[in-house]
Amino acid sequence: MLVSRKLVNRCAKMQHACKRNIAAQALKYKGYAVHKPHEKFELWEYEPGPLAPNDIEIKVTHNGLCHTDLHMMDDDWGLTAYPLIPGHEVVGTVTAVGDDVAGIARGSRVGVGWIRDSCRRCKNCLRGNENLCVKGYTGLIVGPNNFGGFQQVMRAPADFAYVLPDSLSSAAAAPLLCAGVTVYAPLRKHLKAPGMQVAVLGVGGLGHLAVQFAAKMGAAVTAVDIDPTKEQEAKKLGAEHFVEFNAAYEQCKGRFDVIINCVAVRINFQGVLGMLAPDGVAVQCGIPGGGAIIDLNLQDVVFGQKSMAGSIVGGRADMAEMLQFCADKGVEPMVQTMKLSQLNEALELLKAGKPRYRIVMETDI
């Protein structure tokens, strides 16, 4: 009798799995894809296959639009696998969970950012720095068949999905999942005392969040931008001072303990180094395409004991902490919403630098 029950249970599981696989084979997802560089996005369908045991399925409601999407669609960094469905600031509702998923239930409102997966076993992953995974983390939209949020429904590993605080709206939460954590993590790392002098270079999608974070962390913030019309907005966001970019190299020599460079174009990095106080650190957050190089006078680095650093999003702990910080402190991005069907139009606005300060796409397919 015991053997019979085991056989019955095994057969039932096999039958359930078979039905699920058949259903998955018939299932098709629809999203906006490009198939080669410099194309416009068009609707495209694909079969996702069975839901993996550790994955969740998300009905997408919102996507933040990021400069990384521009770089990926045109393969500026040499990482793109086509066809590509971008979108790595994704918010939506969980509609299905894999057999081994714990901690996230159907109906949960979640966000998914740039990191899709990591090895979970190397020294950096074990320290909570999955973004520095020794074996290399997997980007959400890097690699064949890793599709992002510009679609009706997407899938992602549950361990890199984050249940969102109730006080954060979905439109506000989306840009935080890449832009937010990219500037939050280095500020949390390098701001070691109240009143430290911080410069935010570029008051845009990243920079307007960096100004808020730094001010809420107790720093004295100077916003630096080429556009003088941003001064009043920057001060409302928490900046004490505003300096136009071309004047900053001379006006701000030796002033800052921390510089967060959010500019995604080549600038005078030696001039940036000169703006640092002794023992200061300049953190590069924006990533220009084309293999940009930083040239520095080594003598200035050594005698000033100055540092140049980078920031690539953050680990899982950084993301969870940042989302709660935003909910507790009232940090929100300034967004304009557009429909996902307007994606090509929105990307042209982003290329032209017109958003003030992030575009969030609302799914309408």
Side-chain angles (χ1 to χ4, degrees), residues 24-35:
Q25 290 171 8
L27 181 65
K28 287 191 175 182
Y29 286 177
K30 181 187 292 185
Y32 283 94
V34 288
H35 295 264

Side-chain angles (χ1 to χ4, degrees), residues 190 192 196-198 252-259 271-282 299-308:
H190 296 294
K192 300 174 182 178
M196 291 182 73
Q197 294 287 330
V198 173
C252 302
K253 276 188 175 180
R255 180 185 297 183
F256 301 113
D257 302 301
V258 179
I259 295 175
V272 172
L273 189 73
M275 293 161 63
L276 285 174
D279 206 30
V281 58
Q299 184 170 301
D300 291 347
V301 174
V302 174
F303 290 148
Q305 200 167 301
K306 300 175 182 180
S307 305
M308 294 290 292

Side-chain angles (χ1 to χ4, degrees), residues 72-120:
M72 290 297 295
M73 64 184 283
D74 290 337
D75 197 22
D76 286 344
W77 297 337
L79 299 173
T80 304
Y82 297 100
L84 170 74
I85 297 179
H88 60 278
E89 297 178 341
V90 188
V91 174
T93 303
V94 177
T95 53
V97 298
D99 291 341
D100 296 338
V101 172
I104 294 181
R106 292 179 182 86
S108 298
R109 188 174 63 115
V110 299
V112 180
W114 172 251
I115 297 180
R116 178 184 187 86
D117 210 348
S118 72
C119 78
R120 328 285 179 87

